[in-house]
Amino acid sequence: MIAAKADQAAIGIVVDLSEQDTVVRLDLDATPYLAQLRLRTQEVRRRQTLSLGAVTSTGLLHALWNIPVTGIPANDLSERDRRTLMGADGLVVEQGGILSRLYQPPGEVLLLGARRTTPNSAIARALQIPPVFQRVAMWSARSRPTQRDAWLFRLALRNGLGMIEFDETLRPSLIQAPTSPAPGTSAVYRWFVAEIAFRSWLQAQTAHASS
């Protein structure tokens, strides 16, 4: 679902949100996060035209990843991938025995944030996010940091976490901006996270239309 205004404001002090960006709430491995999702407008429109939703099956995403941009003879794919891709209308097309990929991710998740009530839990959760994304820990204001907080702060600094604290009025303050993501593709996982974020965005659009 679309994040609350306070959460959007917090992400907005870390990165410049463009017109294609939205901040959504999503769950990864049963853990809630905030995500900066940069939508691919053309792909979103294509899916809407074809009534295609989010593609959240990891098996299907892996099968799609195994199709190179130039296409591949269908018989060169594993039997498992061929079975997985059967009926994937709008995502693949077969012509003359060559399977081509129509699939594109609906956008890209650039940042993931963990918002919790304490620095301990926020930083610990943010450290679990793969460094292929910008990572941010967010928490509510507390009185005096504990010794464990100080250790976690140093750990967050070393790992390039962004850190944001909300005061009693939910106004965010930037403690540290996140560093750039680590190099590396992790393409299928990126696709998966983008699809989960896109699903949250679609749910928010549906809720808004029905309200």
Side-chain angles (χ1 to χ4, degrees):
M1 303 297 285
I2 300 297
K5 288 184 178 180
D7 294 327
Q8 294 186 53
I11 300 301
I13 67 173
V14 175
V15 294
D16 292 326
L17 297 174
S18 71
E19 292 182 0
Q20 288 74 41
D21 289 346
T22 184
V23 179
V24 298
R25 293 174 175 169
L26 55 80
D27 286 342
L28 293 174
D29 298 324
T31 300
Y33 292 103
L34 294 169
Q36 175 199 1
L37 171 63
R38 181 160 294 169
L39 292 166
R40 268 196 190 93
T41 305
Q42 185 174 353
E43 175 62 13
V44 172
R45 289 174 179 167
R46 188 184 80 87
R47 293 197 189 189
Q48 290 172 335
T49 300
L50 298 174
S51 297
L52 291 175
V55 181
T56 57
S57 165
T58 55
L60 179 53
L61 291 173
H62 276 281
L64 290 166
W65 173 248
N66 287 330
I67 301 174
V69 176
T70 54
I72 188 173
N75 290 334
D76 286 357
L77 288 172
S78 69
E79 178 63 26
R80 179 179 181 180
D81 281 349
R82 288 199 301 271
R83 288 199 308 268
T84 300
L85 292 167
M86 287 179 60
D89 298 332
L91 303 178
V92 295
V93 62
E94 185 175 358
Q95 292 182 330
I98 301 298
L99 203 61
S100 299
R101 187 175 73 208
L102 301 177
Y103 170 84
Q104 290 187 54
E108 181 182 7
V109 169
L110 304 175
L111 176 148
L112 284 171
R115 182 175 179 183
R116 301 293 186 273
T117 55
T118 67
N120 287 355
S121 56
I123 292 173
R125 283 298 185 186
L127 285 171
Q128 294 178 357
I129 300 170
V132 294
F133 305 103
Q134 285 187 300
R135 303 174 295 173
V136 178
M138 297 176 282
W139 60 83
S140 302
R142 296 180 62 200
S143 54
R144 181 177 298 176
T146 66
Q147 186 175 0
R148 176 167 169 76
D149 289 337
W151 176 80
L152 279 170
F153 268 91
R154 292 194 297 272
L155 188 62
L157 290 169
R158 288 199 302 271
N159 284 273
L161 293 190
M163 292 185 285
I164 293 173
E165 184 177 78
F166 291 91
D167 66 15
E168 291 77 5
T169 66
L170 297 182
R171 183 176 60 185
S173 297
L174 180 63
I175 298 174
Q176 173 177 271
T179 58
S180 299
T185 54
S186 303
V188 175
Y189 186 69
R190 287 180 183 273
W191 285 0
F192 174 71
V193 175
E195 295 289 353
I196 296 296
F198 180 58
R199 183 176 65 186
S200 292
W201 181 82
L202 286 174
Q203 291 171 346
Q205 302 308 302
T206 301
H208 178 74
S210 61
S211 62

